[in-house]
Amino acid sequence: MIRDGSSLKWLAEEEVGSEDLAHDHRMDISGSVYARMKELGINQNQLAERCGMDRSQISRIIAGKQNLTLSTLAKLEVALSFRMDQGFVYHANGE
């Protein structure tokens, strides 16, 4: 929604629903997974093999279309050698 003026106070007061928040989390996770895959130089097939999943499921995760279980998150963390418990956004090289 476009608002007049330069204040962003309305944004802080905007209520976010659970579906919007879930979408935001899925997108943060998908971006983190994709960034880590690129850093490791692996493709979806290789990640799927490492996780014991189908490539189609990895594709849905990267597209932000997959609801993730804690078990799936743990598989991704092990396969990609990184942790998401400090936040979902992956930062390469300590950024």
Side-chain angles (χ1 to χ4, degrees):
M1 176 184 305
I2 298 174
R3 307 245 182 190
D4 291 330
S6 61
S7 174
L8 295 177
K9 182 180 177 187
W10 67 269
L11 186 57
E13 296 170 352
E14 191 83 13
E15 290 191 33
V16 177
S18 62
E19 287 299 316
D20 292 332
L21 191 55
H23 178 266
D24 289 348
H25 288 321
R26 283 192 305 272
M27 296 312 294
D28 287 342
I29 292 168
S30 77
S32 296
V33 168
Y34 184 78
R36 183 64 174 154
M37 286 173 59
K38 291 299 174 193
E39 185 175 89
L40 295 174
I42 63 172
N43 61 34
Q44 291 182 18
N45 289 326
Q46 292 166 316
L47 180 57
E49 188 175 305
R50 288 183 181 194
C51 291
M53 296 181 203
D54 292 333
R55 191 213 48 84
S56 62
Q57 185 176 3
I58 297 299
S59 179
R60 288 190 305 274
I61 290 168
I62 292 171
K65 296 180 179 180
Q66 178 76 34
N67 267 332
L68 300 169
T69 64
L70 293 175
S71 177
T72 300
L73 282 173
K75 287 178 185 179
L76 290 167
E77 288 178 321
V78 168
L80 296 169
S81 299
F82 81 116
R83 299 285 305 257
M84 287 189 260
D85 57 353
Q86 298 299 314
F88 296 126
V89 180
Y90 175 72
H91 298 284
N93 303 321
E95 292 176 11

Coordinates of all heavy atoms in Angstrom, one line a residue:
M1 N 0.8 -1.2 0.0 CA 0.0 0.0 0.0 C 0.9 1.2 0.0 O 1.8 1.3 0.8 CB -0.9 0.0 1.2 CG -1.7 1.2 1.4 SD -2.7 1.2 2.9 CE -3.6 -0.3 2.8
I2 N 0.6 2.2 -0.8 CA 1.3 3.4 -0.9 C 0.7 4.5 0.0 O -0.5 4.7 0.0 CB 1.4 4.0 -2.4 CG1 2.1 2.9 -3.3 CG2 2.0 5.3 -2.5 CD1 2.1 3.3 -4.7
R3 N 1.5 5.2 0.7 CA 1.1 6.2 1.7 C 1.8 7.5 1.3 O 2.9 7.5 0.9 CB 1.4 5.8 3.1 CG 0.9 4.4 3.5 CD -0.1 4.5 4.5 NE -0.5 3.2 4.9 CZ -1.5 2.9 5.6 NH1 -2.3 3.8 6.1 NH2 -1.9 1.6 5.9
D4 N 1.1 8.6 1.6 CA 1.7 9.9 1.4 C 2.6 10.2 2.6 O 2.4 9.8 3.7 CB 0.6 11.0 1.4 CG -0.2 10.9 0.1 OD1 0.3 10.4 -0.9 OD2 -1.4 11.2 0.1
G5 N 3.6 11.1 2.3 CA 4.5 11.5 3.4 C 5.7 10.7 3.5 O 5.8 9.6 2.8
S6 N 6.6 11.1 4.3 CA 7.9 10.4 4.4 C 8.0 9.5 5.7 O 8.9 8.8 5.9 CB 9.0 11.4 4.4 OG 8.9 12.3 5.6
S7 N 7.0 9.5 6.5 CA 7.0 8.7 7.8 C 6.7 7.3 7.5 O 5.8 6.9 6.7 CB 6.0 9.3 8.8 OG 5.9 8.4 9.9
L8 N 7.5 6.4 8.1 CA 7.2 5.0 8.0 C 6.5 4.4 9.3 O 6.5 3.2 9.5 CB 8.5 4.2 7.8 CG 9.2 4.5 6.4 CD1 10.5 3.8 6.3 CD2 8.3 4.2 5.3
K9 N 6.0 5.3 10.1 CA 5.4 4.9 11.4 C 4.3 3.9 11.1 O 4.1 3.0 11.8 CB 4.9 6.1 12.1 CG 4.2 5.8 13.4 CD 3.7 7.0 14.1 CE 3.0 6.6 15.4 NZ 2.4 7.7 16.1
W10 N 3.5 4.1 10.0 CA 2.4 3.3 9.7 C 2.8 1.8 9.5 O 2.1 0.9 9.8 CB 1.7 3.8 8.4 CG 2.5 3.6 7.2 CD1 3.3 4.6 6.7 CD2 2.6 2.5 6.3 NE1 3.9 4.1 5.5 CE2 3.5 2.8 5.3 CE3 2.0 1.3 6.3 CZ2 3.8 2.0 4.3 CZ3 2.4 0.4 5.3 CH2 3.3 0.7 4.3
L11 N 4.1 1.7 9.0 CA 4.6 0.3 8.7 C 4.8 -0.4 10.0 O 4.5 -1.6 10.1 CB 5.9 0.4 7.9 CG 6.5 -0.9 7.4 CD1 5.5 -1.7 6.6 CD2 7.8 -0.7 6.7
A12 N 5.3 0.3 11.0 CA 5.6 -0.4 12.3 C 4.3 -0.7 13.0 O 4.2 -1.7 13.8 CB 6.4 0.6 13.2
E13 N 3.2 0.0 12.7 CA 1.9 -0.3 13.3 C 1.1 -1.3 12.5 O 0.0 -1.7 12.9 CB 1.1 1.0 13.4 CG 1.8 2.0 14.3 CD 1.2 3.4 14.3 OE1 0.3 3.7 13.4 OE2 1.6 4.2 15.1
E14 N 1.5 -1.6 11.3 CA 0.8 -2.6 10.4 C 0.8 -3.9 11.1 O 1.8 -4.5 11.5 CB 1.5 -2.6 9.0 CG 0.8 -3.3 8.0 CD -0.3 -2.5 7.3 OE1 -0.3 -1.3 7.5 OE2 -1.1 -3.1 6.6
E15 N -0.4 -4.5 11.1 CA -0.5 -5.9 11.7 C -0.2 -6.9 10.6 O -0.6 -6.8 9.5 CB -1.9 -6.1 12.3 CG -2.1 -5.3 13.5 CD -3.4 -5.8 14.2 OE1 -3.7 -6.9 14.2 OE2 -4.0 -4.9 14.8
V16 N 0.7 -7.9 11.0 CA 1.0 -8.9 10.1 C 0.3 -10.2 10.5 O 0.4 -10.6 11.7 CB 2.6 -9.2 10.1 CG1 3.0 -10.3 9.2 CG2 3.3 -7.9 9.7
G17 N -0.4 -10.8 9.6 CA -1.0 -12.1 9.9 C -0.1 -13.3 9.8 O 1.0 -13.2 9.3
S18 N -0.6 -14.4 10.4 CA 0.3 -15.6 10.5 C 0.7 -16.1 9.1 O 1.8 -16.6 8.9 CB -0.4 -16.6 11.3 OG -1.6 -17.1 10.7
E19 N -0.2 -16.0 8.1 CA 0.1 -16.5 6.8 C 1.2 -15.6 6.1 O 2.1 -16.1 5.5 CB -1.2 -16.5 5.9 CG -2.1 -17.6 6.2 CD -1.5 -19.0 6.0 OE1 -0.9 -19.2 5.0 OE2 -1.7 -19.8 6.9
D20 N 1.1 -14.3 6.3 CA 2.1 -13.4 5.8 C 3.5 -13.7 6.5 O 4.5 -13.7 5.8 CB 1.8 -11.9 6.0 CG 0.6 -11.5 5.2 OD1 0.4 -12.1 4.1 OD2 -0.1 -10.6 5.6
L21 N 3.5 -13.9 7.8 CA 4.7 -14.2 8.5 C 5.3 -15.6 8.1 O 6.5 -15.7 7.9 CB 4.4 -14.2 10.0 CG 5.6 -14.3 11.0 CD1 6.5 -13.1 10.7 CD2 5.1 -14.2 12.4
A22 N 4.4 -16.6 7.9 CA 4.9 -17.9 7.4 C 5.5 -17.7 6.0 O 6.6 -18.3 5.8 CB 3.7 -18.9 7.4
H23 N 4.9 -16.9 5.2 CA 5.5 -16.7 3.8 C 6.9 -16.0 4.0 O 7.8 -16.4 3.3 CB 4.6 -15.8 3.0 CG 5.1 -15.5 1.6 ND1 5.8 -14.3 1.4 CD2 5.1 -16.2 0.5 CE1 6.2 -14.3 0.1 NE2 5.8 -15.5 -0.4
D24 N 7.0 -15.0 4.8 CA 8.2 -14.4 5.0 C 9.3 -15.3 5.5 O 10.5 -15.3 5.0 CB 8.1 -13.2 6.0 CG 7.3 -12.0 5.5 OD1 7.1 -12.0 4.3 OD2 7.0 -11.2 6.3
H25 N 8.9 -16.2 6.4 CA 9.9 -17.2 6.9 C 10.3 -18.2 5.8 O 11.5 -18.5 5.7 CB 9.3 -18.0 8.1 CG 9.2 -17.2 9.3 ND1 10.1 -16.3 9.8 CD2 8.2 -17.3 10.3 CE1 9.7 -15.8 10.9 NE2 8.6 -16.4 11.3
R26 N 9.4 -18.6 5.0 CA 9.7 -19.6 3.9 C 10.7 -18.9 2.9 O 11.6 -19.5 2.5 CB 8.5 -20.0 3.2 CG 7.7 -21.1 3.9 CD 6.6 -21.8 3.1 NE 5.7 -20.8 2.5 CZ 4.5 -20.4 3.0 NH1 4.2 -20.8 4.2 NH2 3.7 -19.6 2.4
M27 N 10.4 -17.6 2.6 CA 11.3 -16.9 1.7 C 12.7 -16.7 2.3 O 13.7 -16.8 1.6 CB 10.7 -15.6 1.3 CG 9.4 -15.8 0.5 SD 9.4 -17.0 -0.9 CE 10.6 -16.2 -2.0
D28 N 12.8 -16.4 3.6 CA 14.1 -16.2 4.2 C 14.9 -17.5 4.2 O 16.1 -17.5 3.9 CB 13.9 -15.8 5.7 CG 13.5 -14.3 5.8 OD1 13.6 -13.5 4.9 OD2 13.0 -14.0 6.9
I29 N 14.2 -18.6 4.5 CA 14.8 -19.9 4.5 C 15.2 -20.3 3.0 O 16.4 -20.7 2.8 CB 13.9 -21.0 5.1 CG1 13.7 -20.8 6.5 CG2 14.4 -22.4 4.8 CD1 12.6 -21.6 7.2
S30 N 14.4 -20.1 2.1 CA 14.7 -20.4 0.7 C 15.9 -19.6 0.2 O 16.8 -20.2 -0.4 CB 13.5 -20.2 -0.2 OG 13.3 -18.8 -0.5
G31 N 16.0 -18.3 0.6 CA 17.2 -17.5 0.2 C 18.4 -18.0 0.9 O 19.5 -18.0 0.3
S32 N 18.3 -18.4 2.1 CA 19.5 -18.9 2.9 C 20.0 -20.2 2.3 O 21.2 -20.4 2.1 CB 19.1 -19.2 4.3 OG 18.8 -18.0 5.0
V33 N 19.1 -21.1 1.9 CA 19.4 -22.4 1.3 C 20.1 -22.2 0.0 O 21.1 -22.7 -0.3 CB 18.2 -23.3 1.2 CG1 18.5 -24.5 0.3 CG2 17.7 -23.8 2.6
Y34 N 19.5 -21.3 -0.8 CA 20.0 -21.0 -2.2 C 21.4 -20.4 -2.1 O 22.3 -20.8 -2.8 CB 19.1 -20.1 -2.9 CG 19.5 -19.8 -4.3 CD1 19.3 -20.8 -5.3 CD2 20.1 -18.6 -4.7 CE1 19.7 -20.5 -6.6 CE2 20.5 -18.4 -6.0 CZ 20.3 -19.3 -6.9 OH 20.7 -19.1 -8.2
A35 N 21.6 -19.5 -1.2 CA 22.9 -18.8 -1.0 C 24.0 -19.8 -0.6 O 25.1 -19.8 -1.1 CB 22.8 -17.7 0.0
R36 N 23.6 -20.7 0.3 CA 24.6 -21.7 0.8 C 24.9 -22.7 -0.3 O 26.1 -23.1 -0.5 CB 24.1 -22.4 2.0 CG 25.0 -23.4 2.6 CD 26.3 -22.7 3.1 NE 27.1 -23.7 3.8 CZ 28.4 -23.6 3.9 NH1 29.1 -22.6 3.5 NH2 29.1 -24.6 4.6
M37 N 23.9 -23.1 -1.1 CA 24.1 -24.0 -2.2 C 25.1 -23.4 -3.2 O 26.1 -24.1 -3.7 CB 22.8 -24.3 -2.9 CG 21.9 -25.2 -2.2 SD 20.3 -25.4 -3.1 CE 20.8 -26.0 -4.7
K38 N 24.9 -22.1 -3.5 CA 25.8 -21.4 -4.4 C 27.3 -21.4 -3.9 O 28.2 -21.6 -4.6 CB 25.3 -20.0 -4.8 CG 24.1 -20.0 -5.6 CD 24.3 -20.7 -6.9 CE 23.1 -20.9 -7.7 NZ 23.3 -21.8 -8.8
E39 N 27.3 -21.1 -2.6 CA 28.7 -21.0 -1.9 C 29.4 -22.3 -2.0 O 30.6 -22.4 -2.2 CB 28.5 -20.6 -0.5 CG 29.8 -20.3 0.2 CD 29.6 -19.8 1.6 OE1 29.4 -20.6 2.6 OE2 29.5 -18.5 1.8
L40 N 28.6 -23.4 -1.8 CA 29.2 -24.8 -1.8 C 29.4 -25.3 -3.3 O 30.0 -26.3 -3.5 CB 28.4 -25.7 -1.0 CG 28.3 -25.5 0.5 CD1 27.3 -26.4 1.1 CD2 29.6 -25.6 1.1
G41 N 28.8 -24.6 -4.2 CA 28.9 -25.1 -5.6 C 28.1 -26.4 -5.9 O 28.5 -27.2 -6.7
I42 N 26.9 -26.5 -5.2 CA 26.1 -27.7 -5.4 C 24.8 -27.4 -6.1 O 24.3 -26.2 -5.9 CB 25.9 -28.5 -4.1 CG1 25.1 -27.7 -3.1 CG2 27.2 -29.0 -3.5 CD1 24.7 -28.5 -1.9
N43 N 24.2 -28.3 -6.8 CA 22.9 -28.1 -7.4 C 21.8 -28.8 -6.6 O 22.0 -29.4 -5.6 CB 23.0 -28.5 -8.9 CG 23.2 -30.0 -9.0 OD1 22.8 -30.8 -8.2 ND2 24.0 -30.4 -10.1
Q44 N 20.6 -28.6 -7.1 CA 19.4 -29.2 -6.4 C 19.5 -30.7 -6.3 O 19.1 -31.3 -5.3 CB 18.1 -28.8 -7.1 CG 17.8 -27.3 -7.0 CD 16.5 -27.0 -7.7 OE1 15.7 -27.8 -8.0 NE2 16.3 -25.7 -8.0
N45 N 20.0 -31.4 -7.4 CA 20.1 -32.8 -7.3 C 21.1 -33.3 -6.2 O 20.8 -34.2 -5.5 CB 20.6 -33.4 -8.7 CG 19.5 -33.3 -9.7 OD1 18.3 -33.4 -9.4 ND2 19.9 -33.1 -10.9
Q46 N 22.2 -32.6 -6.1 CA 23.2 -32.9 -5.1 C 22.7 -32.6 -3.7 O 22.9 -33.5 -2.8 CB 24.5 -32.1 -5.4 CG 25.2 -32.5 -6.6 CD 26.3 -31.6 -7.1 OE1 26.1 -30.3 -7.0 NE2 27.4 -32.1 -7.4
L47 N 21.9 -31.5 -3.5 CA 21.4 -31.2 -2.2 C 20.3 -32.3 -1.8 O 20.3 -32.8 -0.7 CB 20.8 -29.8 -2.1 CG 20.2 -29.4 -0.8 CD1 21.2 -29.6 0.4 CD2 19.6 -28.0 -0.8
A48 N 19.5 -32.6 -2.8 CA 18.5 -33.7 -2.6 C 19.1 -35.0 -2.1 O 18.6 -35.6 -1.2 CB 17.6 -33.9 -3.8
E49 N 20.2 -35.3 -2.8 CA 20.9 -36.6 -2.4 C 21.4 -36.5 -1.0 O 21.3 -37.4 -0.2 CB 22.0 -36.8 -3.4 CG 22.7 -38.2 -3.3 CD 23.7 -38.4 -4.3 OE1 23.3 -38.4 -5.5 OE2 24.9 -38.7 -4.0
R50 N 22.0 -35.4 -0.7 CA 22.6 -35.2 0.7 C 21.5 -35.2 1.8 O 21.8 -35.7 2.9 CB 23.3 -33.8 0.8 CG 24.6 -33.7 0.0 CD 25.2 -32.4 0.3 NE 26.5 -32.2 -0.4 CZ 27.3 -31.2 -0.2 NH1 27.1 -30.3 0.8 NH2 28.4 -31.1 -0.9
C51 N 20.3 -34.8 1.4 CA 19.2 -34.7 2.4 C 18.4 -36.0 2.4 O 17.5 -36.1 3.3 CB 18.3 -33.5 2.1 SG 19.0 -31.9 2.4
G52 N 18.5 -36.8 1.4 CA 17.6 -38.0 1.2 C 16.2 -37.6 0.9 O 15.3 -38.2 1.3
M53 N 16.1 -36.6 0.0 CA 14.8 -36.0 -0.5 C 14.8 -36.1 -2.0 O 15.8 -36.3 -2.6 CB 14.6 -34.6 -0.1 CG 14.6 -34.3 1.4 SD 14.4 -32.5 1.6 CE 15.0 -32.3 3.2
D54 N 13.6 -35.9 -2.5 CA 13.4 -35.7 -4.0 C 13.9 -34.3 -4.4 O 13.7 -33.4 -3.6 CB 12.0 -35.9 -4.4 CG 11.4 -37.3 -4.2 OD1 12.3 -38.3 -4.2 OD2 10.2 -37.5 -4.0
R55 N 14.4 -34.2 -5.6 CA 14.8 -33.0 -6.1 C 13.6 -32.0 -6.2 O 13.7 -30.8 -6.0 CB 15.4 -33.1 -7.5 CG 16.1 -31.8 -8.0 CD 16.0 -31.5 -9.4 NE 14.7 -31.7 -10.1 CZ 13.8 -30.8 -10.1 NH1 13.9 -29.6 -9.5 NH2 12.6 -31.1 -10.7
S56 N 12.4 -32.5 -6.5 CA 11.2 -31.7 -6.5 C 10.9 -31.0 -5.2 O 10.5 -29.8 -5.2 CB 10.0 -32.5 -7.0 OG 9.7 -33.5 -6.1
Q57 N 11.2 -31.7 -4.1 CA 11.0 -31.1 -2.8 C 12.0 -29.9 -2.6 O 11.6 -28.9 -2.1 CB 11.1 -32.1 -1.7 CG 10.7 -31.5 -0.3 CD 10.7 -32.5 0.8 OE1 11.0 -33.7 0.6 NE2 10.4 -32.1 2.0
I58 N 13.2 -30.2 -3.0 CA 14.3 -29.1 -2.9 C 13.8 -27.9 -3.7 O 14.0 -26.8 -3.3 CB 15.6 -29.6 -3.3 CG1 16.1 -30.8 -2.4 CG2 16.7 -28.5 -3.3 CD1 16.3 -30.4 -0.9
S59 N 13.3 -28.2 -4.9 CA 12.9 -27.1 -5.8 C 11.8 -26.3 -5.1 O 11.8 -25.0 -5.2 CB 12.4 -27.7 -7.1 OG 11.9 -26.7 -7.9
R60 N 10.8 -26.9 -4.5 CA 9.7 -26.2 -3.8 C 10.3 -25.4 -2.6 O 9.8 -24.3 -2.3 CB 8.7 -27.2 -3.3 CG 7.8 -27.7 -4.4 CD 6.6 -28.5 -3.9 NE 6.9 -29.6 -3.0 CZ 7.2 -30.8 -3.4 NH1 7.3 -31.2 -4.7 NH2 7.5 -31.8 -2.5
I61 N 11.3 -26.0 -1.9 CA 11.9 -25.2 -0.8 C 12.6 -24.0 -1.3 O 12.4 -22.9 -0.7 CB 12.9 -26.1 0.0 CG1 12.2 -27.3 0.7 CG2 13.8 -25.3 0.9 CD1 13.1 -28.3 1.3
I62 N 13.3 -24.1 -2.3 CA 14.0 -22.9 -2.9 C 13.0 -21.9 -3.4 O 13.3 -20.7 -3.4 CB 15.0 -23.4 -4.0 CG1 16.2 -24.2 -3.3 CG2 15.6 -22.2 -4.7 CD1 17.1 -24.8 -4.2
A63 N 11.9 -22.3 -3.9 CA 10.9 -21.4 -4.5 C 10.1 -20.8 -3.3 O 9.2 -19.9 -3.6 CB 10.0 -22.2 -5.5
G64 N 10.2 -21.3 -2.1 CA 9.5 -20.8 -1.0 C 8.0 -21.3 -1.0 O 7.2 -20.7 -0.3
K65 N 7.8 -22.4 -1.6 CA 6.5 -23.0 -1.7 C 6.3 -24.2 -0.8 O 5.2 -24.8 -0.8 CB 6.2 -23.4 -3.1 CG 6.1 -22.2 -4.0 CD 5.9 -22.6 -5.5 CE 5.8 -21.3 -6.3 NZ 5.6 -21.6 -7.7
Q66 N 7.3 -24.6 0.0 CA 7.2 -25.8 0.8 C 7.1 -25.4 2.3 O 7.9 -24.7 2.8 CB 8.5 -26.6 0.6 CG 8.6 -27.9 1.4 CD 7.7 -29.0 0.9 OE1 7.5 -29.1 -0.3 NE2 7.1 -29.8 1.7
N67 N 6.1 -25.9 2.9 CA 6.0 -25.8 4.4 C 7.0 -26.8 4.9 O 7.0 -28.0 4.6 CB 4.6 -26.1 4.9 CG 3.7 -24.9 5.1 OD1 4.2 -23.8 5.3 ND2 2.5 -25.1 5.0
L68 N 7.9 -26.3 5.8 CA 9.0 -27.2 6.3 C 8.7 -27.7 7.7 O 8.3 -26.9 8.6 CB 10.3 -26.3 6.3 CG 10.7 -25.8 4.9 CD1 11.8 -24.8 5.1 CD2 11.1 -26.9 4.0
T69 N 9.1 -28.9 7.9 CA 9.0 -29.5 9.3 C 10.4 -29.2 9.9 O 11.4 -28.9 9.3 CB 8.8 -31.0 9.3 OG1 9.9 -31.6 8.6 CG2 7.5 -31.3 8.6
L70 N 10.5 -29.4 11.2 CA 11.7 -29.2 11.9 C 12.7 -30.3 11.4 O 13.9 -30.0 11.3 CB 11.6 -29.3 13.4 CG 10.8 -28.2 14.1 CD1 10.5 -28.4 15.5 CD2 11.5 -26.8 13.9
S71 N 12.2 -31.5 11.1 CA 13.1 -32.5 10.6 C 13.7 -32.1 9.3 O 14.9 -32.3 9.0 CB 12.3 -33.8 10.5 OG 13.1 -34.8 9.9
T72 N 12.9 -31.5 8.4 CA 13.4 -31.1 7.1 C 14.5 -30.0 7.3 O 15.5 -29.9 6.6 CB 12.3 -30.6 6.2 OG1 11.4 -31.7 6.0 CG2 12.8 -30.1 4.9
L73 N 14.2 -29.0 8.2 CA 15.1 -28.0 8.5 C 16.5 -28.5 9.0 O 17.5 -28.1 8.5 CB 14.6 -27.0 9.5 CG 13.6 -26.0 9.1 CD1 13.0 -25.2 10.3 CD2 14.2 -25.0 8.1
A74 N 16.4 -29.5 9.8 CA 17.6 -30.2 10.4 C 18.4 -30.9 9.2 O 19.6 -30.8 9.2 CB 17.2 -31.1 11.5
K75 N 17.7 -31.5 8.3 CA 18.3 -32.2 7.2 C 19.1 -31.2 6.3 O 20.2 -31.4 5.9 CB 17.3 -33.0 6.3 CG 16.8 -34.2 7.0 CD 15.8 -34.9 6.1 CE 15.1 -36.1 6.7 NZ 14.1 -36.7 5.9
L76 N 18.4 -30.0 6.1 CA 19.1 -29.0 5.3 C 20.3 -28.5 6.0 O 21.3 -28.2 5.4 CB 18.1 -27.9 5.0 CG 17.0 -28.2 4.1 CD1 15.9 -27.1 4.1 CD2 17.5 -28.4 2.6
E77 N 20.2 -28.2 7.3 CA 21.3 -27.7 8.1 C 22.5 -28.7 8.0 O 23.7 -28.2 7.8 CB 20.9 -27.5 9.5 CG 20.0 -26.3 9.7 CD 19.6 -26.1 11.1 OE1 19.3 -27.1 11.8 OE2 19.5 -24.9 11.6
V78 N 22.3 -30.0 8.2 CA 23.3 -31.0 8.1 C 23.9 -31.0 6.7 O 25.2 -31.0 6.6 CB 22.8 -32.3 8.6 CG1 23.9 -33.4 8.3 CG2 22.5 -32.3 10.1
A79 N 23.1 -31.1 5.7 CA 23.5 -31.2 4.3 C 24.3 -30.0 3.9 O 25.3 -30.1 3.1 CB 22.4 -31.4 3.4
L80 N 24.0 -28.8 4.4 CA 24.6 -27.6 4.0 C 25.7 -27.1 5.0 O 26.3 -26.0 4.8 CB 23.6 -26.5 3.7 CG 22.6 -26.8 2.6 CD1 21.5 -25.8 2.6 CD2 23.3 -26.8 1.3
S81 N 25.8 -27.8 6.1 CA 26.8 -27.4 7.2 C 26.6 -26.0 7.6 O 27.6 -25.2 7.6 CB 28.2 -27.6 6.7 OG 28.5 -29.0 6.3
F82 N 25.4 -25.7 8.0 CA 25.1 -24.4 8.6 C 23.9 -24.5 9.5 O 23.1 -25.4 9.4 CB 25.0 -23.2 7.6 CG 23.7 -23.1 6.9 CD1 23.0 -21.9 7.0 CD2 23.2 -24.1 6.0 CE1 21.8 -21.8 6.4 CE2 22.0 -23.9 5.3 CZ 21.3 -22.8 5.5
R83 N 23.7 -23.5 10.4 CA 22.7 -23.5 11.4 C 21.7 -22.4 11.1 O 22.1 -21.3 10.8 CB 23.2 -23.4 12.8 CG 24.1 -24.6 13.2 CD 23.4 -25.8 13.5 NE 22.4 -25.7 14.5 CZ 22.5 -26.0 15.8 NH1 23.6 -26.6 16.2 NH2 21.5 -25.8 16.6
M84 N 20.4 -22.6 11.3 CA 19.4 -21.6 11.1 C 18.8 -21.2 12.5 O 17.9 -20.4 12.5 CB 18.4 -22.0 10.1 CG 18.8 -22.0 8.7 SD 17.5 -22.3 7.5 CE 17.7 -24.0 7.2
D85 N 19.3 -21.7 13.6 CA 18.6 -21.4 14.8 C 18.9 -20.0 15.4 O 18.3 -19.5 16.3 CB 19.0 -22.4 15.9 CG 20.4 -22.6 16.1 OD1 21.3 -22.0 15.4 OD2 20.8 -23.4 17.1
Q86 N 19.9 -19.3 14.8 CA 20.1 -17.9 15.2 C 19.4 -16.9 14.2 O 19.7 -15.7 14.3 CB 21.6 -17.6 15.1 CG 22.4 -18.5 16.1 CD 22.0 -18.3 17.5 OE1 21.8 -17.1 18.0 NE2 21.8 -19.3 18.3
G87 N 18.5 -17.4 13.4 CA 17.8 -16.6 12.4 C 17.9 -17.4 11.1 O 18.7 -18.2 10.9
F88 N 16.9 -17.1 10.3 CA 16.8 -17.8 9.0 C 17.7 -17.3 7.9 O 17.9 -18.0 7.0 CB 15.4 -17.8 8.5 CG 14.4 -18.5 9.4 CD1 13.3 -17.9 9.9 CD2 14.6 -19.8 9.8 CE1 12.4 -18.5 10.7 CE2 13.7 -20.4 10.7 CZ 12.6 -19.8 11.1
V89 N 18.2 -16.1 8.0 CA 18.9 -15.5 6.9 C 20.4 -15.9 7.1 O 21.1 -15.7 8.1 CB 18.8 -14.0 6.9 CG1 19.6 -13.4 5.8 CG2 17.3 -13.6 6.8
Y90 N 20.9 -16.5 6.0 CA 22.3 -17.0 6.0 C 23.2 -15.8 5.5 O 22.9 -15.2 4.5 CB 22.5 -18.2 5.0 CG 23.9 -18.6 4.9 CD1 24.6 -19.2 5.9 CD2 24.6 -18.3 3.7 CE1 25.9 -19.6 5.8 CE2 25.9 -18.7 3.5 CZ 26.5 -19.4 4.6 OH 27.8 -19.7 4.4
H91 N 24.3 -15.6 6.3 CA 25.2 -14.6 5.9 C 26.6 -15.2 5.6 O 27.2 -15.8 6.5 CB 25.4 -13.5 7.0 CG 24.1 -12.8 7.3 ND1 23.6 -11.8 6.5 CD2 23.2 -12.9 8.3 CE1 22.5 -11.3 7.0 NE2 22.2 -12.0 8.1
A92 N 27.1 -15.1 4.4 CA 28.4 -15.7 4.1 C 29.5 -14.9 4.7 O 29.4 -13.7 4.8 CB 28.5 -15.8 2.6
N93 N 30.5 -15.6 5.1 CA 31.8 -14.9 5.5 C 31.6 -13.9 6.6 O 32.2 -12.9 6.7 CB 32.5 -14.2 4.3 CG 32.8 -15.2 3.2 OD1 33.2 -16.3 3.5 ND2 32.6 -14.7 2.0
G94 N 30.7 -14.2 7.6 CA 30.5 -13.4 8.8 C 29.9 -12.0 8.5 O 30.0 -11.1 9.3
E95 N 29.2 -11.9 7.4 CA 28.6 -10.6 7.0 C 27.5 -10.3 7.9 O 26.8 -11.1 8.4 CB 28.1 -10.6 5.6 CG 29.2 -10.6 4.6 CD 28.7 -10.7 3.2 OE1 27.5 -10.6 2.9 OE2 29.5 -11.0 2.3

